[in-house]
Amino acid sequence: MIDYFDELLKQPSLFKDESKLDINFVPTKLLHREKELYLLSQLFLVLITNPNSASRKILITGKTGVGKTATVKFFGKLIVDAAVKRQAFIQHIHINCRKERTSYKVLIKIMTTINPKFPKRGYSPQELLEIILEYLNNYELHLLIVLDELSYLINDGGDLIYSLTRLNDDSINLKQRVSIIGIVRDISCLSKLDASTMSTLQRNIIDFKNYSKEEVFDILKYRSQISLINNAIPDDLMNSITELVHIKGDIRYGLNLIWRACKIAERKHLRQIDAECIRLGNQDLIPFSAQDILTSLNEQKLIFLLSITRGLKQSGKTQISIAECISIYKMICENVEIKCRSYSQLWNYLQDFKRDNFISVLIQSESFKGRKGLIEITEFSLFKLETELIRILKSKGFFV
Ligand SMILES: Nc1ncnc2c1ncn2[C@@H]1O[C@H](COP(=O)(O)OP(=O)(O)OP(=O)(O)O)[C@@H](O)[C@H]1O
Ligand SMILES: [Mg+2]
């Protein structure tokens, strides 16, 4: 019998440690974000020099893949370590609001992080807030809550931020127990928040600018050095990758491209990548950020997005009406025998797609039930998006 593992292991690998190219891996060095880390440290210094005397609310903005999440996670570790050294107690909690979409889920996440034994059911948000505060007071703790991808919480996030802020004011001994860092790509996502929450958040904004070409090069080179064997990517090819990545500025895209190019090189039994590996790797690449979102969508959303993609592809036009998309959607639903969602649910899906940068919607008239709108997909190749959607749906058992 052939031992396939043996065979595979005999083939030389270009990877030293593949996990270090993973999008969720936080590297020990964050190149070219020193300024932002210094600024954050300055803003939070008081939490260490004079624990619980102040609370900070900061908003971080910047395009996709520019290191917002990585930098804030890195900073979380920095501040907790610095606090421990000085006998101040700060706990850092990073919450992705795309995954914890309601205030209740966020509060439960906070509570179960500070106390893993806490039961997940049976409390109202108000009760949870009180329990959290009591816990913080009992343990003389300050919480640094990071609300990443905050735009997903906009519908009731305002209340949450307001209540979290109020946690401080209401406490008997007036100790400040909670600081917040919000992360959004674009500040306009927050326009639905009430004015006072907005003004609290807007007071301190740190905008993460896109990396320059040289910076993209340095970062990708560093990530390759820790994850690949020596010389897997010669400098001139790293330059070509940088050219492709720099236009969008999305490092995640770069890491994915490197991973793909190296896998292709391995299949060809090469000891280093060549230009063709990059070309092939780049061919059907949906940005990693989008890929991550696509795999988290339910089948209804996947089918609706597929309907939009197909509608546009088949019509050959740059825009398609919502009504047309819905009729394609109904047809697909019928074919795979699932129940269609209501108009208002589909409308909500459109808002989500818009927020995820998959589509833009141009509204022509706004009367209820008669919302006439046109949809556009500009960021993705329709072919790539369709292929990817079909692949994901297939993995869920839907053949469309
Ligand atoms: N300066 C850097 N040094 C090393 N790796 C980096 C740097 N900046 C970003 N990265 C890596 O690039 C990837 C994307 O970064 P990150 O997830 O922080 O982006 P983001 O700004 O949060 O994007 P999004 O808005 O899509 O969430 C991560 O894997 C991260 O580790
Ligand atoms: Mg992020």
Side-chain angles (χ1 to χ4, degrees):
M1 203 164 74
I2 311 170
D3 183 342
Y4 291 104
F5 291 108
D6 229 21
E7 289 291 305
L8 280 168
L9 286 169
K10 254 188 254 157
Q11 285 174 18
S13 173
L14 262 67
F15 296 94
K16 193 160 67 182
D17 184 352
E18 206 170 315
S19 70
K20 293 189 172 147
L21 280 178
D22 191 276
I23 44 162
N24 295 317
F25 173 77
V26 180
T28 44
K29 265 198 288 184
L30 271 178
L31 304 174
H32 305 299
R33 285 296 177 213
E34 296 85 1
K35 206 176 77 220
E36 287 77 6
L37 283 168
Y38 184 73
L39 203 58
L40 280 166
S41 309
Q42 249 179 346
L43 286 165
F44 281 94
L45 181 65
V46 61
L47 298 192
I48 288 171
T49 52
N50 202 351
N52 300 311
S53 66
S55 146
R56 291 281 180 258
K57 281 128 220 141
I58 314 285
L59 191 64
I60 287 179
T61 56
K63 292 222 176 89
T64 194
V66 296
K68 301 183 296 298
T69 300
T71 306
V72 173
K73 281 192 174 163
F74 192 89
F75 175 70
K77 243 180 94 41
L78 280 186
I79 192 170
V80 169
D81 289 351
V84 169
K85 252 200 250 164
R86 295 162 181 86
Q87 261 97 53
F89 297 101
I90 299 178
Q91 185 155 1
H92 158 237
I93 303 181
H94 194 105
I95 296 172
N96 185 323
C97 302
R98 180 155 55 80
K99 295 189 178 135
E100 321 294 336
R101 278 197 182 206
T102 60
S103 297
Y104 183 74
K105 282 194 175 162
V106 169
L107 287 168
I108 281 285
K109 177 93 185 174
I110 295 174
M111 199 51 228
T112 50
T113 312
I114 54 180
N115 177 9
K117 289 198 204 109
F118 191 78
K120 289 210 168 95
R121 279 172 218 288
Y123 296 95
S124 71
Q126 192 48 46
E127 285 166 329
L128 281 170
L129 279 164
E130 281 161 21
I131 298 170
I132 293 172
L133 180 62
E134 198 183 297
Y135 192 96
L136 298 177
N137 280 331
N138 286 345
Y139 289 86
E140 276 291 313
L141 206 60
H142 189 95
L143 271 191
L144 168 58
I145 303 171
V146 178
L147 298 172
D148 200 346
E149 313 220 23
L150 181 59
S151 57
Y152 285 89
L153 257 184
I154 40 172
N155 291 329
D156 64 354
D159 285 357
L160 177 73
I161 297 164
Y162 180 75
S163 331
L164 288 175
T165 323
R166 282 292 299 263
L167 263 185
N168 298 315
D169 304 343
D170 282 351
S171 71
I172 328 144
N173 48 10
L174 290 177
K175 289 207 167 163
Q176 307 285 315
R177 293 294 183 196
V178 175
S179 288
I180 298 174
I181 299 181
I183 305 180
V184 288
R185 297 204 181 108
D186 185 347
I187 194 156
S188 69
C189 301
L190 299 181
S191 55
K192 275 199 194 159
L193 290 179
D194 68 280
S196 79
T197 312
M198 244 334 237
S199 82
T200 308
L201 281 175
Q202 265 178 329
R203 234 164 283 154
N204 284 307
I205 297 183
I206 304 179
D207 184 40
F208 280 47
K209 298 269 179 296
N210 276 10
Y211 293 116
S212 70
K213 211 183 270 185
E214 290 73 24
E215 289 172 341
V216 171
F217 181 93
D218 286 350
I219 294 168
L220 292 180
K221 187 159 170 120
Y222 162 63
R223 293 295 292 261
S224 307
Q225 272 165 351
I226 58 176
S227 52
L228 306 175
I229 58 166
N230 269 350
N231 267 329
I233 307 180
D235 271 1
D236 57 331
L237 291 180
M238 191 57 95
N239 271 326
S240 330
I241 296 178
T242 302
E243 287 295 333
L244 291 169
V245 174
H246 170 245
I247 311 165
K248 278 197 176 275
D250 182 353
I251 298 291
R252 205 182 283 134
Y253 177 79
L255 295 175
N256 193 12
L257 178 55
I258 288 176
W259 182 84
R260 284 191 182 228
C262 288
K263 285 284 168 194
I264 293 166
E266 276 189 354
R267 244 178 280 144
K268 293 177 163 185
H269 304 289
L270 300 174
R271 290 294 287 164
Q272 55 176 208
I273 66 162
D274 59 19
E276 184 64 8
C277 297
I278 301 178
R279 241 174 266 129
L280 288 170
N282 194 34
Q283 224 164 46
D284 10 65
L285 199 61
I286 300 262
F288 233 14
S289 41
Q291 192 114 35
D292 199 25
I293 294 171
L294 285 180
T295 44
S296 72
L297 299 182
N298 64 26
E299 57 264 19
Q300 288 281 354
K301 280 190 168 177
L302 288 165
I303 291 176
F304 192 39
L305 190 55
L306 178 68
S307 316
I308 301 171
T309 315
R310 282 208 175 141
L312 279 167
K313 205 166 143 233
Q314 283 157 9
S315 73
K317 295 192 203 127
T318 50
Q319 296 168 340
I320 185 172
S321 73
I322 296 177
E324 276 174 87
C325 296
I326 293 180
S327 72
I328 300 175
Y329 164 78
K330 284 188 176 155
M331 235 156 50
I332 303 181
C333 285
E334 210 171 289
N335 285 342
V336 295
E337 297 178 350
I338 61 169
K339 211 165 157 266
C340 297
R341 288 282 148 98
S342 68
Y343 179 85
S344 63
Q345 274 169 321
L346 294 177
W347 177 259
N348 286 338
Y349 287 177
L350 285 180
Q351 304 314 307
D352 279 353
F353 295 157
K354 210 167 86 180
R355 219 176 302 137
D356 291 332
N357 277 331
F358 285 114
I359 61 167
S360 353
V361 183
L362 311 147
I363 298 297
Q364 293 175 312
S365 73
E366 186 61 87
S367 69
F368 186 69
K369 282 277 169 193
R371 274 180 287 215
K372 277 213 180 114
L374 292 173
I375 306 176
E376 250 179 28
I377 295 182
T378 49
E379 293 281 311
F380 301 92
S381 128
L382 296 175
F383 175 75
K384 289 179 197 173
L385 192 56
E386 187 187 20
T387 316
E388 191 56 21
L389 286 165
I390 293 174
R391 190 187 67 75
I392 298 171
L393 278 162
K394 197 165 145 196
S395 72
K396 292 180 184 259
F398 294 95
F399 296 86
V400 285

